[in-house]
Amino acid sequence: MTTHEYEFLTTETVADYVRSRPVLSGRVDPDHLVRVDEIGDGNLNLVFVLEDGRGRRLVLKQALPYVRMVGAGWPMTPERARREADSLRTHRALAGELVVETIEYDPQQYVIAMEDLSDHAVWRHALNRGERHDGAAAALGRYVAAVAFGTSVLGMERDAAAQALARSVNPDLCTITEDLVFTEPSVDAGRNEVLAANEPDAKALAADETFVAAMGVAKWKFMTQAEALIHGDLHTGSVFVRAAESSTECDSVKVFDSEFAFYGPVAFDLGATFANYVFAAARAYAQGDDDRAEWALSLPGQTWDAFAAEFRARFEGVRDGRVWGQAFRETLLDRWLRETWLFAAAKMARRIVGAAKVKDVETLPEALREGAARGVLLAAREAASAWDAPHRPEDFAALAGALLREHRTS
Ligand code: SR1
Ligand code: MG
């Protein structure tokens, strides 16, 4: 592993950093900062928000040479910041306002400067507070479709696509996903942990041969199916949402945090959204808020429908219509829906059993968490066993909802 020596930013040094970079000091005045906070709550990086006396704000995200949630004992290439900056720019060129604006990337200190979104909320935080943001799920579907078409050979000239693929190879971050998402839920590498009451559920998952075989298929697809420059970690903590006061309708949705981006299977991003909607539903059912749970379970259908509509619309501009016609387009959509179930199953299991859990479930009192965790694990097993059958996104929500209701605890 290469050693990386560079200065880590602190709340004391960010003003000097901004002063040394003309593009940034044009966005926020480093001599009159009224706010400098480190707000990173993810598993990997430092994130600073700066505000000057004129109310202008800037966000700086710095990649550390290790995994923040563990420390220096888990080295991790800071080059991931370059992949993130590149993918954010590529995705924004295709999906516009649905992606956070990158202002500058500093390859010496692995810092991405981006627009401040303090008037937005991280969607997971909003969901956990019981808030509804309508339109966000459909926006994510449109974003995934824009990226699926626009970064693949369907929408790109073949040499440019090959170069983009080569530039985005991201083995260190992909290895995290391969281990944590596909292998470790059933093969504990010493990082798994559940409540004592859920130990039988985790054991049953690991002993479920159908589930383990499906995870083998999922891992193979993830490692070999280089379809498009996917986000790679599209959970509800990677999305900002904003609604006008006294409205639940989003007026802005912004995807961020794409350091796991690489050329991979399109359905991996869709599966991540489906799994995270299930976590939101699990929390709501556990808290006895069935209306909110049902709303959360309407989100997979919203994401899928918007994805399919946007993909069909963009497909009108397919580069090689000689061989890629409507039948092929529908074949792709059919396969992606099946794979969405498969990847959602992996994502559901990993966040319950493995390292890097989700607050939706983890912050529930233990008595409620037990049933929520059990319901999610059973939904993961059932989705994995049924993934390669023809189905509709609503069937996924129905399957998860029934298990979450049946197994909730009080
Ligand atoms: C070691 S990083 C753990 C997890 O955090 C990110 O959000 C990814 O989901 C990754 O698997
Ligand atoms: Mg992240």
Side-chain angles (χ1 to χ4, degrees):
M1 162 100 37
T2 324
T3 52
H4 296 274
E5 286 187 12
Y6 56 97
E7 202 180 318
F8 302 161
L9 297 177
T10 68
T11 50
E12 279 71 46
T13 62
V14 278
D16 286 342
Y17 179 80
V18 170
R19 204 172 288 115
S20 72
R21 305 193 72 86
V23 171
L24 304 188
S25 49
R27 302 282 293 227
V28 71
D29 181 353
D31 296 317
H32 297 94
L33 294 178
V34 295
R35 179 185 170 202
V36 179
D37 289 326
E38 201 282 305
I39 55 161
D41 74 341
N43 297 320
L44 289 157
N45 307 296
L46 299 173
V47 183
F48 298 89
V49 60
L50 286 66
E51 181 177 340
D52 68 14
R54 291 166 55 195
R56 298 183 306 168
R57 295 196 194 116
L58 181 70
V59 169
L60 300 177
K61 175 174 176 178
Q62 185 176 39
L64 300 169
Y66 52 80
V67 172
R68 184 181 182 174
M69 75 176 196
V70 171
W74 189 346
M76 188 52 53
T77 175
E79 287 292 336
R80 62 186 187 267
R82 199 263 299 157
R83 272 100 178 193
E84 177 171 352
D86 275 2
S87 57
L88 286 175
R89 286 180 168 138
T90 300
H91 291 180
R92 189 170 160 95
L94 293 162
E97 293 298 314
L98 292 177
V99 180
V100 67
E101 181 198 358
T102 301
I103 295 163
E104 185 185 68
Y105 174 58
D106 167 7
Q108 270 79 45
Q109 281 186 257
Y110 306 101
V111 177
I112 305 173
M114 55 186 104
E115 69 175 312
D116 167 70
L117 294 169
S118 300
D119 58 345
H120 291 59
V122 173
W123 197 12
R124 188 187 307 289
H125 299 172
L127 287 163
N128 287 348
R129 289 193 296 264
E131 296 169 16
R132 295 183 191 196
H133 282 84
D134 291 312
L140 292 185
R142 293 196 300 279
Y143 159 75
V144 176
V147 167
F149 183 81
T151 65
S152 73
V153 289
L154 299 172
M156 269 181 106
E157 191 272 318
R158 68 100 51 244
D159 284 355
Q163 280 160 21
L165 186 151
R167 188 170 160 79
S168 75
V169 169
N170 198 358
D172 305 71
L173 281 278
C174 285
T175 301
I176 294 180
T177 303
E178 290 149 23
D179 292 343
L180 266 56
V181 177
F182 300 115
T183 306
E184 295 185 18
S186 51
V187 184
D188 188 4
R191 288 193 273 240
N192 291 358
E193 199 178 349
V194 289
L195 290 174
N198 288 125
E199 273 167 17
D201 306 301
K203 283 203 177 86
L205 178 88
D208 181 341
E209 290 176 9
T210 307
F211 177 80
V212 176
M215 292 306 102
V217 175
K219 184 170 180 174
W220 168 257
K221 286 177 176 289
F222 181 82
M223 295 176 77
T224 61
Q225 223 165 273
E227 295 173 336
L229 180 61
I230 66 170
H231 179 285
D233 199 22
L234 192 57
H235 54 78
T236 49
S238 297
V239 183
F240 279 112
V241 291
R242 188 185 66 193
E245 220 174 294
S246 73
S247 168
T248 63
E249 199 61 43
C250 283
D251 61 13
S252 177
V253 177
K254 304 261 185 197
V255 172
F256 67 107
D257 214 11
S258 55
E259 66 206 306
F260 284 79
F262 78 116
Y263 266 77
V266 166
F268 186 72
D269 283 349
L270 295 166
T273 67
F274 277 34
N276 280 268
Y277 302 150
V278 170
F279 303 139
R283 179 179 182 83
Y285 275 132
Q287 293 176 329
D289 190 344
D290 290 21
D291 279 353
R292 187 157 52 87
E294 279 155 33
W295 171 81
L297 291 174
S298 74
L299 301 178
Q302 292 179 33
T303 292
W304 177 264
D305 289 348
F307 166 75
E310 183 73 25
F311 184 74
R312 288 189 180 107
R314 289 189 182 243
F315 198 92
E316 294 297 310
V318 72
R319 283 202 163 254
D320 192 351
R322 295 168 306 174
V323 291
W324 293 329
Q326 289 191 2
F328 174 65
R329 182 193 72 194
E330 294 308 306
T331 302
L332 277 180
L333 286 169
D334 177 75
R335 178 163 60 75
W336 283 337
L337 181 54
R338 294 168 197 246
E339 291 173 354
T340 296
W341 283 52
L342 179 64
F343 290 126
K347 292 281 198 172
M348 287 191 283
R350 64 81 54 116
R351 295 289 190 195
I352 299 297
V353 172
K357 295 183 164 38
V358 285
K359 292 212 165 69
D360 317 41
V361 176
E362 282 305 291
T363 59
L364 290 169
E366 288 191 8
L368 305 184
R369 202 191 318 163
E370 176 190 340
R374 184 169 298 128
V376 173
L377 287 183
L378 289 168
R381 290 171 61 188
E382 199 157 321
S385 78
W387 79 268
D388 202 14
H391 35 228
R392 303 164 305 161
E394 308 87 86
D395 301 334
F396 176 86
L399 166 167
L403 290 164
L404 293 175
R405 280 191 301 276
E406 183 184 341
H407 294 280
R408 66 177 146 181
T409 45
S410 51

